[in-house]
Amino acid sequence: MRLHGRKIECDRLDELVATVQTGRGSSSVLVVRGEAGIGKTALLEHARGSAAGCRVAQATGVESEMELAFSGLHQLCAPLLDRLHRLPQPRRQALEAAFGLRGGTPPDRFVFGLAVLGLLADVAEQEPLICLIDDAQRLDRVSAQTLAFVARRLRTERIGLVIAVREPALRAELAGLPELEVGPLSNGDARALLDSMTPGRLDGRVRDRIVAEAQGNPLALLELPRSLTPAELAAGYTLPHTLSAGQAERSFLRRVESLPAPTRQLLLIAAAEPVGDVTLLSRAARTLSIDESAAAPAESAGLITLGTRVRFVHPLLRSAAYQAATPENRQCVHRALAEVIDPLADRNTGRGTWTKRHSGDPTRRVAAELARSAERVSGPQQGDGGGGVPGTGGPAHPRSRPGAAAGHWRRPGPRACAGGYDAALGLLDARRSAPWTSTNAPAPACCAQITFASISAARRPAALL
């Protein structure tokens, strides 16, 4: 599909893909940045469509997986693991440990970065490889750091790496990489896009006002007309002054709420399962007695596509589908997902335990599983003394409750300096939700210490004000 007003951006992506396709002896990296709804996802789709003769690997950052180390890279690398046996043993073992294919502690970050680079390079020897990362601002910290590590070391491997990130939430890890800023459409291009989506329906005055108030944002241009009645489209209506990301999400929300109840429930499952696993979606739907035909209205409305993965038309739609549900429905869906996730395949990723945490079950069993899962994912690193509580410098404690782990944050150890903040905050969250409230008093102080440790030295004075 032609992207109105994006010739410069499309040409830049076409050049990147062509460099990889022709094997002119170099790899290419590009960070695509812009505000919500500006068209970053559409540009990634353009790159995918241009990558004839290339293998394409994709990943999307999802907010609910930001606490799961390696989860973003697992999306990217999982389809490529059929070539894992070709890597040297240390790198192969690093990937196996990170992705839950073997037991043991998580790998050294440097070795893991080299392992990812080696895997991508090995795939590219067989055929050119295009890696597309969307919503990078929502990647887990380890994945973002590793992608930046790989991007700075690509040379002649026939690999194209395109990373889309939303402004203003830019990631410091991506600083210094080649960038493509995506700005608003011109008025002429905005009118052309609007006319292509609503041919023959708009009064001229209505069109001009939509164009003026959308301020060149393609998502706003597409969603504003959908929020209007036929009479309003014909002539005269009242619009807000601009359509922000929040207003676009509300537009998606209205479309979700217009769907049949089983379809809304199916969308909620898809929104709660961030990897886009179609098999997992189907299993969870059967658990909740949702028929497969429930997907048809959402597909007909252009909200999702079901292929090898579940794909939402826009990340804001995923958020809208989740926000449209009641807390009880969300917990019900998380319980269903927790029931159908394979515990053996999940033993080192922690996704099943994380899902249980959102299922509304604050029992000691779930809290203990969270602590064990965080330890498997984060594990002791150099300077932890071995066998330590994840995210701390102290020894493992025989008690299973997360309070025992969180208590060690009174004096953050070497692991804090190593950047295990997300795992520790997750444990504190579980601790606050657990029934042993009499011992929860240190949690706010621990949270403050972790937050203070996680920010840069330059920003710490402001955090104290």
Side-chain angles (χ1 to χ4, degrees):
M1 183 181 72
R2 179 192 171 196
L3 297 181
H4 294 277
R6 297 300 185 211
K7 185 179 186 307
I8 294 175
E9 292 86 349
C10 290
D11 286 348
R12 182 84 177 270
L13 290 170
D14 290 343
E15 181 182 353
L16 180 148
V17 171
T19 298
V20 176
Q21 285 172 324
T22 56
R24 292 200 291 258
S26 65
S27 295
S28 294
V29 177
L30 190 61
V31 177
V32 179
R33 58 185 183 90
E35 65 180 23
I38 205 65
K40 302 181 296 296
T41 300
L43 287 168
L44 291 186
E45 285 299 308
H46 172 84
R48 187 167 70 97
S50 301
C54 299
R55 185 165 184 174
V56 178
Q58 295 180 267
T60 301
V62 182
E63 188 171 3
S64 60
E65 286 210 342
M66 290 178 70
E67 305 294 339
L68 294 177
F70 308 108
S71 59
L73 277 171
H74 182 265
Q75 285 188 57
L76 183 73
C77 296
L80 312 177
L81 294 181
D82 58 327
R83 302 182 69 83
L84 191 60
H85 66 281
R86 295 172 55 86
L87 297 181
Q89 183 177 357
R91 299 184 185 184
R92 182 176 69 251
Q93 290 178 343
L95 289 174
E96 288 174 343
F99 296 154
L101 301 176
R102 60 179 293 155
T105 60
D108 175 85
R109 296 284 180 83
F110 181 75
V111 175
F112 178 70
L114 292 177
V116 172
L117 177 60
L119 178 65
L120 299 181
D122 186 77
V123 172
E125 284 184 6
Q126 185 179 36
E127 56 186 334
L129 177 64
I130 302 295
C131 299
L132 305 176
I133 315 297
D134 202 1
D135 273 341
Q137 76 279 357
R138 291 176 174 168
L139 288 173
D140 62 280
R141 185 188 297 246
V142 177
S143 293
Q145 291 174 339
T146 305
L147 279 172
F149 176 93
V150 169
R152 293 187 175 93
R153 285 159 179 80
L154 291 176
R155 295 292 183 269
T156 62
E157 296 85 356
R158 294 200 306 168
I159 297 172
L161 178 59
V162 185
I163 304 172
V165 60
R166 180 188 301 178
E167 292 181 324
L170 297 178
R171 300 205 65 131
E173 296 91 344
L174 304 178
L177 296 176
E179 290 187 349
L180 173 63
E181 183 175 4
V182 185
L185 297 175
S186 68
N187 285 346
D189 290 323
R191 289 191 187 93
L193 174 61
L194 192 58
D195 289 343
S196 71
M197 302 304 296
T198 54
R201 296 177 56 198
L202 286 179
D203 175 85
R205 293 167 298 174
V206 176
R207 179 190 297 108
D208 289 344
R209 190 166 183 187
I210 290 177
V211 168
E213 297 187 348
Q215 296 186 346
N217 186 293
L219 180 62
L221 287 163
L222 297 178
E223 289 304 311
L224 271 171
R226 291 187 176 124
S227 67
L228 304 175
T229 66
E232 289 171 329
L233 285 170
Y237 69 101
T238 301
L239 276 178
H241 288 292
T242 60
L243 186 71
S244 64
Q247 289 168 316
E249 187 171 347
R250 285 194 291 273
S251 177
F252 280 131
L253 185 60
R254 286 191 292 270
R255 295 173 66 186
V256 170
E257 290 173 341
S258 69
L259 296 170
T263 304
R264 294 199 304 271
Q265 190 81 338
L266 190 71
L267 284 180
L268 176 58
I269 299 172
E273 199 294 293
V275 177
D277 189 325
V278 176
T279 302
L280 201 59
L281 173 68
S282 178
R283 290 175 182 169
R286 285 197 299 269
T287 299
L288 297 175
S289 302
I290 300 174
D291 191 82
E292 293 181 1
S293 62
E299 289 187 287
S300 299
L303 298 178
I304 62 169
T305 57
L306 297 178
T308 55
R309 283 188 180 182
V310 183
R311 296 176 61 84
F312 283 84
V313 69
H314 194 277
L316 290 177
L317 175 59
R318 180 193 292 273
S319 176
Y322 196 80
Q323 296 301 323
T326 64
E328 293 77 12
N329 281 340
R330 294 177 201 165
Q331 291 173 3
C332 179
V333 161
H334 282 292
R335 280 194 294 269
L337 286 169
E339 289 177 14
V340 299
I341 289 176
D342 183 351
L344 293 178
D346 179 63
R347 67 187 186 278
N348 273 36
T349 67
R351 181 175 289 119
T353 307
W354 188 256
T355 303
K356 290 177 185 175
R357 170 68 183 85
H358 288 78
S359 69
D361 180 4
T363 63
R364 292 173 180 263
R365 175 180 57 81
V366 172
E369 286 184 29
L370 270 171
R372 287 194 297 271
S373 177
E375 185 168 3
R376 284 195 299 270
V377 172
S378 300
Q381 297 181 5
Q382 293 179 354
D384 281 358
V389 175
T392 75
H397 200 287
R399 290 176 295 178
S400 63
R401 68 187 193 184
H408 289 275
W409 271 104
R410 293 170 186 170
R411 290 189 300 274
R415 183 62 182 285
C417 300
Y421 315 114
D422 294 340
L425 288 171
L427 289 173
L428 276 176
D429 184 42
R431 184 181 187 227
R432 284 194 292 264
S433 301
W436 43 84
T437 54
S438 61
T439 62
N440 280 351
C446 293
C447 184
Q449 289 185 43
I450 298 168
T451 303
F452 188 75
S454 69
I455 61 180
S456 65
R459 293 171 52 206
R460 286 177 182 172
L464 295 173
L465 299 178

